[in-house]
Amino acid sequence: MTLQYFGEEIRKRVQKNVGSGHEVECRDFLVNNGERTLKLTVTEIGRRVGPAFTLNGYYKNADPDNLEAYLEKTAGEIAGRCLQREPLDILVDEYSGLMNDFSAFRDKIKFKLIHTKMNRELLETIPHIPFLDLSIVFYMSEEFDEGLCSVLVHNELAVRWGVTSKELHDLALKNTPKLLPPVVSELKLERNVVDVRPKAELEQFKEGVLYPVSNYTGFYGAAVLAYPNLLRQYAQACGKNIIVIPSSVHEVLIKTEEEHDDRNILSGFVNTVNAAEVSRAEWLSDHIYVYEYETDRLIAA
């Protein structure tokens, strides 16, 4: 049974459960690093948007020996959740209705980092700015009491707004550190404790200690690499180069560079962790980066 077959079987059953007042569709989406996901959308007739459900996880957990029962149960759960999410649907509908008005979103534009080579197909469809071997891409997100609405800025939307990649970058560079301030933690492996320290305490950091860095939401927090002056402040406090270990698109690890550090070995560590611990869709890079204290620049190592 293929994922597409599974999706179509779920689609038919959900459509039967929610009735003719809703349109149920299965669509294939390209996500980070060439990964694809199959989503089921359930939209009430006359509405612009509706809830979307990623089917990959459901497919992975399917029991081939009891497939019919599993399909019926899954479709019933999805249909039930559609009815329960009506308040969020209304808010999302109102949010999407503002899409033609760029002035309503200019202060909400944020950026995240993705790997350029692994996202060539996706980058053809979205505005972006090169950043070393990575790319800065743009999105908006809005938090509601009932959930989170997140929208990646595609070329079509940028054209509708009449904005360039540079204009989006200028806005996002101003908005993102303010809307998603960085959070730095101290990783104390010997006691299996993470002690969270705010950015204001950078001068207290110890040489050689590994510090996880993200934003306060933990969502696409590796973007802190491109926050103005963040790495420079840490380097100035220590007077040394800074090693940046990309653990995922959501977080990086930073430490001072010591004499015994081998950059090739550290990059090999990144590859090992990616393969064993991180889903491909969340990979940021396959090597480390180094912020050079004396030259004030970040390089791929």
Side-chain angles (χ1 to χ4, degrees), residues 6-220:
F6 175 82
E8 177 59 19
E9 291 300 307
I10 291 292
R11 187 201 67 78
K12 291 189 294 187
R13 288 165 174 78
V14 171
Q15 183 70 76
K16 181 179 178 181
N17 285 336
V18 298
S20 59
H22 293 76
E23 182 178 12
V24 183
E25 295 181 296
C26 267
R27 296 180 60 190
D28 183 64
F29 286 86
L30 179 65
V31 292
N32 198 35
N33 297 332
E35 293 288 280
R36 291 187 175 273
T37 184
L38 188 66
K39 292 190 177 183
L40 185 84
T41 59
V42 184
T43 309
E44 186 178 353
I45 301 299
R47 299 278 296 280
R48 293 186 178 90
V49 294
F53 301 86
T54 301
L55 296 182
N56 299 59
Y58 291 108
Y59 172 72
K60 184 178 180 181
N61 294 326
D63 181 0
D65 295 328
N66 298 283
L67 183 58
E68 184 61 31
Y70 181 79
L71 290 170
E72 288 293 333
K73 178 182 177 183
T74 301
E77 290 177 354
I78 290 175
R81 289 172 62 187
C82 291
L83 299 176
Q84 295 171 3
R85 293 185 57 172
E86 184 176 354
L88 177 59
D89 293 343
I90 294 172
L91 289 170
V92 173
D93 199 18
E94 293 174 351
Y95 185 68
S96 65
L98 296 172
M99 282 297 180
N100 290 322
D101 181 10
F102 181 59
S103 64
F105 291 98
R106 58 182 302 111
D107 294 332
K108 302 178 187 293
I109 300 295
K110 308 178 186 74
F111 72 85
K112 59 186 178 182
L113 293 176
I114 62 175
H115 194 273
T116 299
K117 187 176 180 179
M118 291 190 286
N119 288 281
R120 287 176 177 171
E121 185 179 355
L122 177 62
L123 289 170
E124 291 179 359
T125 68
I126 59 178
H128 58 278
I129 296 289
F131 182 78
L132 301 176
D133 60 337
L134 307 175
S135 290
I136 294 174
V137 301
F138 311 101
Y139 72 102
M140 303 166 293
S141 61
E142 190 79 19
E143 293 184 39
F144 302 123
D145 291 340
E146 297 85 358
L148 175 73
C149 177
S150 181
V151 178
L152 184 65
V153 178
H154 281 72
N155 291 336
E156 180 183 352
L157 186 56
V159 169
R160 190 188 311 171
W161 284 344
V163 295
T164 65
S165 295
K166 184 181 183 306
E167 289 170 327
L168 289 168
H169 181 239
D170 290 343
L171 286 170
L173 202 61
K174 175 183 176 182
N175 295 339
T176 312
K178 179 175 63 176
L179 298 173
L180 299 173
V183 173
V184 187
S185 310
E186 182 175 348
L187 191 60
K188 299 180 178 178
L189 294 177
E190 69 277 5
R191 288 184 285 175
N192 196 29
V193 174
V194 175
D195 177 25
V196 177
R197 295 169 179 258
K199 177 185 171 186
E201 297 184 17
L202 278 171
E203 68 277 359
Q204 299 180 17
F205 283 12
K206 307 177 186 71
E207 296 181 7
V209 175
L210 205 58
Y211 293 94
V213 187
S214 184
N215 59 46
Y216 85 96
T217 68
F219 184 70
Y220 284 110

